[in-house]
Amino acid sequence: ELLNDHPARCRDNLGVSQEGFIHLEALLIRKGGLQSSKFIGTREQLGIFLYAVITDLSMRKLAKRFQRSTETIN
């Protein structure tokens, strides 16, 4: 969603530009072993991680924010 929105919104919420996010995702897939799971894709995984770093929210609050189980978030 943030990748299709105004560029400032991505930077404000995730701390990186839209282009930076796409490049980081590709790098993590290629070199870091980032993979989609049965329940969540790579973009959402990275977005949740970056959002967690920026906001310092608890796993419970992240799960509620992204409407995911704490197991999926963790």
Side-chain angles (χ1 to χ4, degrees):
E1 176 183 319
L2 289 174
L3 296 179
N4 298 321
D5 206 346
H6 191 276
R9 188 162 175 241
C10 185
R11 184 174 295 280
D12 291 346
N13 284 278
L14 303 179
V16 296
S17 67
Q18 292 168 330
E19 296 81 16
F21 182 93
I22 292 167
H23 289 297
L24 180 58
E25 178 194 22
L27 178 67
L28 290 171
I29 290 169
R30 200 172 54 252
K31 304 258 183 180
L34 181 63
Q35 298 178 8
S36 292
S37 74
K38 183 177 178 180
F39 303 105
I40 189 168
T42 57
R43 284 197 172 170
E44 190 171 3
Q45 289 177 51
L46 180 56
I48 290 170
F49 171 76
L50 292 173
Y51 190 79
V53 170
I54 294 294
T55 63
D56 196 31
L57 290 175
S58 69
M59 289 297 137
R60 183 178 54 78
K61 289 181 180 178
L62 286 169
K64 186 173 182 176
R65 165 69 173 87
F66 289 96
Q67 299 179 355
R68 297 286 185 175
S69 71
T70 53
E71 291 80 21
T72 300
I73 296 293
N74 200 5

